[in-house]
Amino acid sequence: IPSPGPELECVEQVPPIAQTPDGYNCENLLENKYQVRWKVDGDDIHVELVGFIDDSMYMGFGISGRPQKETWMIGADVVVVDMTESGPRAQDIFMDQRAQCSGEAGVCRDTDIDFTNGVKDISGEQDFGLTMIRYTRPLIPADIGQVTSSNAAVDMSIPVTPGVDTYIVWALGPISDNGNALFHSGGYAKQDGESVSLDFGRSPQDNCPPLVTIGSSLAPTPTPPLPFSRPLIGDSDGSIVFDCHIGPSGGPRGYTSITGKPSWGIAWYINGYLIPKLILRRGTTYTFRVNGGFDKNDDANYHPFYLTTSPEGGYFQLTPEERLNEKPLAGITVTESDATGVTGFESTGVAPICRYETAGESAEAELGPYENYFQTLDTSCASNQLLMDEAAILTFTPDDTTPDTIYYHCVTHKNLGFEIEVIAADGPTVTKSPTGAPVKEPELDGFTPVELVGQLEGSTLR
């Protein structure tokens, strides 16, 4: 039998979804995971975003807020795409603050503030584990020259002069149920410190190796890590005073792993623990000392604290009619309402912010015990006596009308807090969580997360 000649050798096959169309450019954004393809066509640009994402995630791509200088998020003009139950979706996004969209500021859709979704001809497909979504947008958008309340551009033009590099932004992350892009936990431009630019007007070049080939095996989906162990706080440990601060959401063992909900990247810390479950006893008065921000014009650092019947919070983002279905229990005073809805309210849980910050070693520590992770954070604000003295004070006494399960959250943003179990006045002390976890996990023995100052008399903070 003759040996096979070159004409009989196996040729690696690339499925259509992983092929760059004729006449298109292509560049890797995240190696082996995310690519952008584009083609200039008259006054429009056709874009294809292709990557390994699941249906709860988005792919984002757009022009940097400093297009001729560096990759920069603030002021960027971005299109965010995802695959919904009804098909592919592409949304025109502005970014005027590093914050979850509050409805008026943050990472929001242009249509949230009555501007135009300048994206058209949306289509897409999923195959071989890949999601590909294509769209068209004008080189000079309809809202060019318009600005947000923070004076950030709503839309930016796309330079297509050959040889001219334009800095870009891109991101992968979870998308909320209402279609808002959340924190870019799946990767983002400049994550290695280097700005990213493209020459949109160049002659077509395909610089993308195929993300998948026929016959190749996909990498197995890694098993998600277990949530951080945190103690039950409140009746279980004798605490009647809670210090409430803002900090990072804890990475893969943090907010999303604990709650099963997407995160913007920040969350509440109660007595130094990341979103612990609180146990409150009916008839006992509890005090919440809140340092979540007070400047309404700084949306990224404005997080009024409140207790609520809503599992996700974000009272500010609701319509007046939707607010009728939620009952704020502390931290909100309703000032105007009628049978059609709540049209006026005041947030009382506002005070200068104490925000824990990540350090260089935090990312590695995210996979270890909570104690190791917490010790990498800069929590110095919690030891600032002057700041703690300015905390907003909320008191709450659950009674017989209080639901068995309530929540602590942020008024302006969704999914920053967690749940509160309300127990009977004469009921036994809760010593285990529903999963059987003890009040204090073994890995936390002897661990005091933060030295809290300015405690109220009678507090048994730990």
Side-chain angles (χ1 to χ4, degrees), residues 225-241:
L226 295 174
F228 279 133
S229 295
R230 294 110 52 249
L232 302 176
I233 300 292
D235 187 78
S236 300
D237 71 345
S239 297
I240 60 171
V241 177

Side-chain angles (χ1 to χ4, degrees), residues 44-47 118-122 134-138:
D44 293 325
I45 185 169
H46 307 301
V47 178
V119 185
K120 59 183 180 180
D121 300 337
I122 303 163
R134 60 179 70 87
Y135 61 88
T136 299
R137 65 174 302 172

Side-chain angles (χ1 to χ4, degrees), residues 6-281:
E7 70 279 6
L8 297 180
E9 293 179 355
C10 291
V11 177
E12 194 174 62
Q13 297 184 55
V14 179
I17 194 171
Q19 297 178 16
T20 300
D22 290 342
Y24 275 68
N25 289 278
C26 186
E27 292 289 344
N28 271 321
L29 297 177
L30 185 60
E31 188 175 4
N32 299 323
K33 188 167 184 178
Y34 183 31
Q35 297 173 345
V36 59
R37 308 163 183 161
W38 76 92
K39 176 183 178 181
V40 177
D41 181 13
D43 294 331
D44 293 325
I45 185 169
H46 307 301
V47 178
E48 293 185 353
L49 301 179
V50 57
F52 288 109
I53 62 168
D54 61 40
D55 289 346
S56 65
M57 295 183 67
Y58 69 83
M59 299 181 284
F61 174 78
I63 305 299
S64 164
R66 297 176 177 175
Q68 304 306 319
K69 184 178 181 180
E70 62 182 325
T71 292
W72 193 255
M73 175 180 168
I74 302 300
D77 180 18
V78 174
V79 174
V80 165
V81 304
D82 68 311
M83 191 67 76
T84 71
E85 291 183 356
S86 58
R89 172 172 57 183
Q91 304 179 95
D92 205 351
I93 302 292
F94 70 86
M95 301 181 173
D96 64 353
Q97 294 191 34
R98 297 178 185 272
Q100 178 191 149
C101 182
S102 65
E104 296 180 352
V107 178
C108 299
R109 294 162 292 208
D110 288 12
T111 53
D112 288 334
I113 52 173
D114 297 327
F115 288 111
T116 305
N117 183 12
V119 185
K120 59 183 180 180
D121 300 337
I122 303 163
S123 61
E125 58 194 80
Q126 292 177 308
D127 204 3
F128 290 89
L130 286 172
T131 296
M132 190 274 290
I133 296 178
R134 60 179 70 87
Y135 61 88
T136 299
R137 65 174 302 172
L139 298 176
I140 302 177
D143 295 326
I144 195 77
Q146 300 291 335
V147 297
T148 69
S149 58
S150 300
N151 206 37
V154 175
D155 278 333
M156 303 178 72
S157 61
I158 302 175
V160 292
T161 303
V164 175
D165 276 0
T166 300
Y167 287 97
I168 64 165
V169 294
W170 63 263
L172 301 174
I175 195 156
S176 69
D177 292 341
N178 64 355
N180 281 329
L182 301 179
F183 186 72
H184 43 58
S185 55
Y188 60 97
K190 213 175 181 178
Q191 61 184 1
D192 59 359
E194 297 292 327
S195 290
V196 184
S197 64
L198 295 176
D199 177 0
F200 285 102
R202 74 188 191 192
S203 299
Q205 298 175 34
D206 181 6
N207 295 326
C208 295
L211 291 174
V212 67
T213 56
I214 295 176
S216 64
S217 58
L218 298 177
T221 302
T223 302
L226 295 174
F228 279 133
S229 295
R230 294 110 52 249
L232 302 176
I233 300 292
D235 187 78
S236 300
D237 71 345
S239 297
I240 60 171
V241 177
F242 307 106
D243 277 54
C244 310
H245 304 151
I246 289 291
S249 58
R253 298 192 67 189
Y255 192 95
T256 296
S257 183
I258 294 166
T259 66
K261 297 179 179 180
S263 166
W264 171 252
I266 58 174
W268 285 109
Y269 283 67
I270 309 293
N271 292 1
Y273 288 101
L274 172 64
I275 57 165
K277 180 176 179 177
L278 306 186
I279 308 296
L280 306 187
R281 185 175 293 275

Side-chain angles (χ1 to χ4, degrees), residues 308-387:
T308 177
T309 57
S310 167
E312 59 182 13
Y315 191 77
F316 176 81
Q317 298 187 32
L318 302 180
T319 65
E321 184 179 5
E322 289 172 334
R323 290 174 187 150
L324 291 175
N325 297 320
E326 178 179 344
K327 183 179 181 181
L329 302 169
I332 285 180
T333 300
V334 174
T335 57
E336 296 180 50
S337 66
D338 56 30
T340 64
V342 176
T343 55
F345 67 92
E346 294 180 359
S347 297
T348 57
V350 295
I353 193 168
C354 175
R355 182 165 180 161
Y356 304 164
E357 301 287 355
T358 57
E361 63 271 23
S362 294
E364 181 178 349
E366 287 173 351
L367 295 176
Y370 181 76
E371 175 182 4
N372 293 357
Y373 168 71
F374 188 86
Q375 289 176 345
T376 68
L377 303 180
D378 177 0
T379 61
S380 56
C381 62
S383 300
N384 183 329
Q385 182 69 60
L386 293 177
L387 185 64

